Amino acid sequence: MEMNQKDVEEGGVGAMSKTDLSWIPEIFKKRVCTTFVEDTFSNGRLCQCGVSRDGHQSVALGDYFSTAIVSLWDRAQHSSEQATDAFGELEFAGAGKRHSSFLRLSNSTHPSRVYEMMKVHWKLTQPNLVVSVIGGEGRSKVKVWVREVLRQGLVQAAQSTGAWIITSGLREGIGRIVGEAVKDHATAISSVSLNKVVPIGIAPWGLVQNRQQLVNTEGSFPAKYYVSNTSRDSCSLDNNYMAFLLVDDGSVGRKGGEVSFRASLEYYISCQRSGSASINIPVLCMLISGEVDMLEALDISLKNAMPWLVLAGSGGLANLVSDILENVQSAPMPPPGGAEEDVTPNMELKERMAEKVKTHFPSEHDTDKLVDKLFSIYQSKDLISIYHAEQEGADDFDTVLLKTLVQASKHRVSGTANPYADELKLAVTWNRVDIAKSELFKGNILWKYNDLEDSITDALKNNKPQFLRLFIDNGLNILEYLTYGRLEDLYNSISENCLVNSQLQNLLGVRLNEANPNQPCKISLYEVSQLLENLLGEVCLPFYTSVLDLDTKCSKKKSFKKASKFLQGSCNYRLMLCRHPWLCLFIWAVLQNRSEMAIFFWEMCGESVLTALGGCKLLRELSKWETETEAKLSIKDLALKFEYMAHGVFSICYQTKASNSFKLLIRKSHLWGDATCLKMAMAADARLFFSHDGVQSLLSQIWWGDMDRGTAAWKVILTMIFPLLCFTNLIEFRKVENEEEKKSSLVAQPTTEADCHYGETVFSFADLKHLDAEQEDLNNIRHPTKGTPVVTMNTKKQPFVITRWKQFWYAPVTSFVGNVLMYFLFLFLYAYVILVDFKPPPPDGPAISEYVLYFWVFTIVCEEIRESLIVGSKTVSQRVMLYIQDVWNKLDVLAISLFIAGLCCRMSNWSINIGRGILCVDYMVFTLRLIHIFTIHRQLGPKIIILGKMIKDAFFFLFFLGVWLSAYGVANQALLYSFDPNPDRVFRRVLYRPYLHIFGQIPVEEIDTGESWDRECTDNLTLISGGEEPCRDTNHNWLVVILLVVYLLVTNILLVNLLIATFSYTFSKVQERSDIYWKFQRYNVIVQYHSRPTLAPPFIILSHINIFIKRHLRKVPSIKIHHFALDIMGKAANKLVKWETMQRENFLSAESKKLRGTDTEKLKRLNTKVDDVLKHVTEIRDVDCRLRALETEMEFCTSSLQWIMDALSQSNLVKTGKVHPVRKAIISAPLEK
């Protein structure tokens, strides 16, 4: 019976409501006997279906004619289907376990509906393997070793593979043993989420005891079920199963009613696929013991090509089948001739089978039918495997299952296909890399790319990095596998529960709304590119733009329209191979927070330091989007791990060769869209990475320029006051004297026009400001040919005076010191104006000093405009957003805004006082700007960071203080003064006076009415409304005193000490890492003054004029927009990447050595060795048993030969003159030392 697509859509379980269960009786049916066929052994009381005469419907009893002519009851002809009346959840009374699902259904129900029911409604985990255990039913005793096979072998194998175990589900025989084994396993796992074993019972409805407790036409949620095995014709359900399918064939007390349905369900499942697996769900039937009536189930299943595993020695039918398959061999087929010649071998084979049947089942009389079924089974012997548990043991039972399934499938494989491909797919599906290593990748199998393709996809989609590592170690080339189309399929396979999937779907929805709605709803590389751009920001260029034929310089709207139009076309790019497959897979794994897989892809990527920092950046941005706490912590842990790996690899690079490690920090990576390590680390908030001595050494080199790092600050200040001192030996400058030092210096040979300048801007700084002179020599750059020396630029040697002048004035530290000195002078001038020289409005003022102050602020405004709107390659809006993100820039905007407001108010007579007040407040804001200037200081910098953390803590303290202060202030004012409408006085007494109480200023004479108060007051409401002081209310003075005591207790003792404790905790916590925080913030200051003009305000206006002339009149491009970026191309880049890869391998080797030294790894290795020893001991025992059996056979043969010799010697048949041989005694000489 098959089910078409329309039936699935209209009657399938997946389309039904889960709350309204009225659909279940409409789809699933039960069977009822419709014809009473008298059972002669019951004297007419029972029907052959097993139900009594009273239990039949009137229709079944009314057809006397049919009853008279029918002698044998048939379930297909004499029963009909009706709506099921038993379904829902099952609660075993007194068991205390979670509810099990159950359903009564007809034996003719289509398996597709049942399978969907189990997946969708019962929410059973989709299996990677189904093991159907048959046999061992009834109350017969099960052998001990069979119990161990089920407990240690089957259940453990089911856990490792994620399998369903199907049995009868009854509380007897094998069903009970499997249930107990599953229960013990679940107890050991101690977590429902980790338990992957799903036990399912398929039993005949008529054999279930107390089945009437399950009957409820509207469903039972739950049905109380009482277990009691008191009847021989029925058995109770086992409470250790998760689901029960109770198959109804219309009979009661008869076995075998579920056989056909069980076989059809197993076959249907074997045609399905689990998730994104590359193969169908493997189904294995397992025969343990059993009676002869189970031959029908075995025969039906084999005709459906189901593989079987027979436990030899378990008794009953299992012994018969194993004996026939191992010891009964068919004669070789004769050449085609007559019919008699063809029949003879089969007849001989059946005769041997009949002998075996009589041996194992001597009480069976009708052997012909059994032999016919056995012969049919024998024709499919390739699907049957024999397992000798007493010899092989139960430890590697999952390997046995794998080999059984593979052996059964090999005869279906075509001649051109690899016979081991299915075995590999099974190993990948079960995630058993140990089996793949020991059985498939020993070097004796030649694997082709086509054989591994499906397994690679399965391993990627289902997060199995160990298999990917195994494939790579055995010669897989990922370049041949990963195309852009497959990459899109990987992104489409991301779980719906994953945060990234929802983000990609949102981006896809935006594109589909604007484009053609009929376009396929699949995630493309455009959505991936948009997501990465949202995560990485401006750190690097967008990904996959060249693949989608997009221009990075276009606006987002144009790119969106072009991408939508491009994706509606043929999309031939999907057939192209990925240029950087490992990086693409790394990003894909990081976005899903797959730790082990992402680390493996990182190991395979180039540019290890930058890639680790890139992963850290992606993860920390994702953690900001994540709302679930556990997922957020997991993402942050992986981000920290990548930061640690970047720090570790760079540490080894710095120890090996410092100059190359500096190049790694500032090299523009074409793999990551022209990003640099410093830029990525800054965006990723990688403070640990910035704290490395190598990074700080580079920053110090940039900070001091060509000056010696140990130069005292007073020498720089003195030289700035007396500039001619730079030509003396007061300040030492670095010199590169010989060619070897030049080669070991950090300046790489430039490859582009911008790099020619930049190679010197980063480290020399001598020619940084005046690039216009060298710009004329750019045309003299010669491209070297093979065998000729490299000539980068034909530069003229400048005089010593110009070179030394540039070396001093163009260093960032000189710009910093100059800005600090001039800023102090600015604050002094500002203070002088508002304190001494603040004249009235025009025409009497302002004074000259105030005009100088205005001009000074104007130059500061010009510099802020240049920094926010002009510097950089981004759009104006992007620059403004980037500028506003900095807290100190916001403080600058506030200071300038207040100054402009104060200036406007200061120019009018009516608002001069307001303007003066604004300017005074603005002076405080300008003074606070000094804090940022001194963040570069090694001692002050960490303290400033601690101060910032404490200010955040103070805000929380102020919140609690404000609540308590307002509560006390309002109550105190209302109790002291019954009426006081003066708002100024009320404000001071409600908020200001309680605040002063904290510092000890308590006006006792006012609060305590027992004290004398000299102030004049009145009780006249009219005078009080006019502004007179009201008199105190003495009625509640005792309560006022109590409130004062409580208020001072809470504020001065509780809240203040809470603040001190919070500050102490913050200080101790930040102090440990304050040096790391300071080193991280130091980078921002160095970048700022590296890009800042040398002259400080107000003289900076001259630098602005110079820049304007260069950029707009002379068209000289800006070089400083590329902060610390060095473009290395060709052989130099390849050499640097190879060197970095070597250092990464050294890092991984060191980490592996550390890991091997841990106690956990030592225990694992010891456990592995013990397992090997136990296996060897088991093998020795097997050999010992075989030797003993061999000795027994030899003794029997020896005694038999001796008997023959004696008989021949006593007879007259053989006459010889020779004496029969005599056994020589074997003498073992003692060994001497």
Side-chain angles (χ1 to χ4, degrees), residues 659-669 674-679 698-699 702 746-748 758-759 762-763 1123-1128:
S659 59
N660 280 0
S661 66
F662 292 155
K663 290 180 183 179
L664 289 179
L665 294 177
I666 61 172
R667 177 200 54 186
K668 289 195 293 186
S669 169
D674 289 345
T676 64
C677 288
L678 286 180
K679 194 175 181 181
L698 174 65
L699 295 179
I702 296 173
L746 195 55
V747 182
Y758 199 78
V762 177
F763 303 105
H1123 294 308
F1124 313 144
L1126 186 65
D1127 199 353
I1128 304 177

Side-chain angles (χ1 to χ4, degrees), residues 1152 1154-1167:
S1152 177
K1154 288 181 183 178
L1155 185 62
R1156 287 196 301 270
T1158 59
D1159 295 338
T1160 304
E1161 290 299 319
K1162 289 180 180 178
L1163 288 174
K1164 286 182 179 179
R1165 291 198 298 271
L1166 181 61
N1167 187 28

Side-chain angles (χ1 to χ4, degrees), residues 825-845:
L825 187 59
F826 165 74
L827 293 177
F828 176 78
L829 177 62
Y830 200 152
Y832 174 78
V833 169
I834 61 177
L835 292 175
V836 178
D837 206 13
F838 195 80
K839 297 293 181 67
D844 297 333

Side-chain angles (χ1 to χ4, degrees), residues 748-772:
Q749 295 180 356
T751 56
T752 64
E753 179 178 317
D755 296 330
C756 293
H757 300 301
Y758 199 78
E760 301 193 7
T761 62
V762 177
F763 303 105
S764 176
F765 294 98
D767 302 325
L768 181 62
K769 307 297 180 179
H770 296 281
L771 293 172
D772 51 344

Side-chain angles (χ1 to χ4, degrees), residues 1056-1074:
V1056 173
N1057 281 281
L1058 174 63
L1059 179 64
I1060 294 172
T1062 305
F1063 282 173
S1064 300
Y1065 172 75
T1066 301
F1067 181 85
S1068 60
K1069 182 180 179 181
V1070 178
Q1071 180 66 23
E1072 299 175 356
R1073 301 177 60 86
S1074 60

Side-chain angles (χ1 to χ4, degrees), residues 306 320 344 395 594 815 910:
M306 292 290 102
L320 173 61
T344 303
D395 295 333
R594 292 183 173 181
S815 176
W910 63 272

Side-chain angles (χ1 to χ4, degrees), residues 1114-1181:
R1114 298 180 59 192
K1115 304 297 182 181
V1116 178
S1118 175
I1119 304 300
K1120 281 197 166 185
I1121 59 175
H1122 307 287
H1123 294 308
F1124 313 144
L1126 186 65
D1127 199 353
I1128 304 177
M1129 303 288 290
K1131 293 183 178 179
N1134 293 334
K1135 185 177 180 181
L1136 187 62
V1137 171
K1138 290 180 180 178
W1139 178 80
E1140 182 185 8
T1141 303
M1142 291 175 58
Q1143 308 315 313
R1144 181 195 63 202
E1145 295 301 324
N1146 294 335
F1147 167 76
L1148 294 175
S1149 177
E1151 290 296 311
S1152 177
K1153 189 178 295 184
K1154 288 181 183 178
L1155 185 62
R1156 287 196 301 270
T1158 59
D1159 295 338
T1160 304
E1161 290 299 319
K1162 289 180 180 178
L1163 288 174
K1164 286 182 179 179
R1165 291 198 298 271
L1166 181 61
N1167 187 28
T1168 303
K1169 291 179 180 179
V1170 171
D1171 290 340
D1172 292 339
V1173 171
L1174 290 176
K1175 288 182 180 179
H1176 288 306
V1177 170
T1178 303
E1179 292 175 359
I1180 292 173
R1181 288 178 180 175

